[in-house]
Amino acid sequence: MSPTGSPEGRNQRGGAISLWVVLMVPVMLGLGLAAMAVPQRLAAEHTVESTAADLATMAVVWRDTTNQLLGPLDGFPPDCFSDDAEAAAACHGFWGVLARDLNSQGVDIFSVRGFYGDSYTAAPEAAARPPCRIYGSTLLLDANHVAIAADWYGDWAARQLWPDGVRMASESVGHLNVLFVETEGDEAAEPGEKGNECDDRYRMIDDAGVPQWLDDPQNEARLLSESLPYRTVFEG
């Protein structure tokens, strides 16, 4: 054993330090990249989810307002094609807000693909169609299913972890809800007393943000959405 303080002892300690640097620097660099990139990815996923929800809400309101319950909607984003200049302009304005949100999170807005379905009032089985009471005096009049997918690349840090980007997807069911007044003779209803007559037929995502059909491929909401007569495809 070399005496303490000898050149050989210092070389051994120096070698150990060098080995630690060689082993730990890539690990520390990876952790640093993850600390920067993972929150970006989560934020982008949340924005894609919000975009699906916004489009689903827009679809159900648009169908109700224009009484277009089946097939393509005139002037629906992202293509916004319409012979009505005002409708097209309104559509472009709405999509512009969503596109800026997606782009700010590193999502390629030109890669957006998706579809929206027919009104849920067109479901083949009458028992599965709206309207139905959600709770108390809240009535669900109609619903619309939207699904989207897009490519996310993020910034430099994200590209180090996911050099090919990440394909993100989400779906949502937009609801058209109204409050109604109990008339004389109706049973008084407080929230929760009569339960949810709609059950989960018009709800794709659970409270934790997880698609319900992941645990049950025969989930009622999934089967109902797939039973609708027509889906209109769109792209950015």
Side-chain angles (χ1 to χ4, degrees):
M1 181 178 294
S2 301
T4 302
S6 69
E8 185 178 350
R10 288 197 298 272
N11 288 341
Q12 289 175 345
R13 288 196 297 273
I17 292 173
S18 298
L19 179 60
W20 184 89
V21 171
V22 169
L23 294 176
M24 294 305 298
V25 165
V27 173
M28 298 301 291
L29 179 60
L31 292 175
L33 289 173
M36 292 185 288
V38 171
Q40 290 181 38
R41 177 171 177 171
L42 294 176
E45 289 175 344
H46 176 72
T47 302
V48 171
E49 292 168 2
S50 297
T51 300
D54 289 339
L55 288 173
T57 299
M58 183 179 185
V60 68
V61 172
W62 205 292
R63 287 201 182 281
D64 178 72
T65 302
T66 61
N67 199 32
Q68 299 178 74
L69 303 182
L70 300 172
L73 286 166
D74 182 47
F76 190 81
D79 58 52
C80 294
F81 177 78
S82 176
D83 292 329
D84 185 330
E86 291 186 6
C91 176
H92 281 297
F94 177 80
W95 175 245
V97 173
L98 299 183
R100 283 193 294 273
D101 287 344
L102 290 169
N103 185 63
S104 69
Q105 299 299 332
V107 176
D108 177 9
I109 60 173
F110 298 105
S111 71
V112 174
R113 301 288 185 275
F115 66 81
Y116 56 89
D118 288 338
S119 163
Y120 271 66
T121 59
E125 296 183 18
R129 301 172 192 162
C132 57
R133 184 195 297 261
I134 298 178
Y135 57 81
S137 297
T138 301
L139 196 69
L140 186 148
L141 290 182
D142 198 1
N144 208 265
H145 178 221
V146 168
I148 68 169
D151 295 327
W152 172 78
Y153 296 99
D155 65 7
W156 176 86
R159 285 183 169 88
Q160 306 314 301
L161 296 183
W162 300 285
D164 297 325
V166 177
R167 189 68 170 168
M168 295 182 173
S170 185
E171 62 182 333
S172 182
V173 175
H175 296 168
L176 181 64
N177 298 338
V178 296
L179 295 177
F180 68 94
V181 178
E182 300 280 357
T183 60
E184 186 176 352
D186 288 342
E187 296 180 16
E190 294 298 328
E193 281 191 6
K194 288 190 175 181
N196 180 2
E197 296 174 352
C198 302
D199 298 319
D200 284 333
R201 292 194 299 271
Y202 315 109
R203 189 170 181 243
M204 289 292 186
I205 309 298
D206 64 20
D207 292 333
V210 178
Q212 299 188 85
W213 49 266
L214 285 179
D215 292 330
D216 179 15
Q218 298 301 306
N219 174 264
E220 184 179 14
R222 168 61 62 199
L223 295 179
L224 177 57
S225 71
E226 292 177 347
S227 76
L228 295 173
Y230 190 73
R231 294 178 178 179
T232 300
V233 176
F234 60 76
E235 61 183 55

